Amino acid sequence: MNTENKTVKFKIKRQITPDSEPFWEEYEVPWKPSLNVITLLMAQNTDPITNNGSKTTPASYDANCLEEVCGSCTMIINGKVRQACTALVDKLEQPISIEPMTKFPIVRDLMVDRQRMFESLKWVKGWVPIDNSSPVGKGPNISSEEQQKAYNFSSCMTCGCCLESCPQWSSDEAFIGPQAIAQAILFNTHPTGKSLESERVQALINNGLNICGNAQNCAAVCPKEVDLIGAISEANWQATKHIAKSFLGKH
Ligand code: FES
């Protein structure tokens, strides 16, 4: 097949400042084998000219690992929230539509402020509390079954797909969201992390755990197939036990 004149058509939703009006720009670049959406954005940045020949500015976007590990390149591509680095051009209908996520404040163009996600990890103390100041010896054994479960939760890359798709979550509302709930469960399952279980569960209760409406969109879009439904169910069970213990004065 002659691919010499083959091109890729795409459009980007631009927004120059957090408060300015968004607008679309369309582009057309030469096709090459194995292009992904990040390579389209790189081409636009190198030669920022729209498909009607007007000079424009390079579109801003976040990306880092380029292998679906860091989550920073999450955006909406042809209407679906996903990572741009693994969105292969040959598998996408053209013109490819590229938009920023809608639930996070816009910084510029495709860059959004994902700070709320990282804050929510602080609320649930998403860590194992050891200070490493002195040798603590061998840690407790963790069964293979527990390791498998923890591995699944630990593959969360804080990308934001679950929050973007959740009808109950937005960056300025009460619901903490599935990503932080899953991380609370991850660290509550760890033999050492467990020491902060009560504080984590209280943080989930204080931050709208009960607001989840069980839409299950989060699990459907998670690129790492994290068991978000299982995590929410486990969190609700831990919250019920926590409230019962408080009622009985056992905290
Ligand atoms: S650049 Fe890291 S997930 Fe895409």
Side-chain angles (χ1 to χ4, degrees), residues 38 62-74 83-86 157 159:
I38 292 291
D62 280 315
N64 191 355
C65 70
L66 303 182
E67 54 181 354
E68 203 175 275
V69 171
C70 74
S72 66
C73 69
T74 306
Q83 282 67 55
C85 64
T86 46
M157 52 185 177
C159 65

Side-chain angles (χ1 to χ4, degrees), residues 1-6:
M1 186 174 118
N2 179 15
T3 55
E4 215 172 294
N5 300 318
K6 202 171 159 186

Side-chain angles (χ1 to χ4, degrees), residues 129-147:
I130 50 171
D131 65 9
N132 272 336
S133 58
S134 58
V136 288
K138 186 169 168 284
N141 286 340
I142 304 176
S143 72
S144 157
E145 196 179 86
E146 284 169 333
Q147 286 177 29

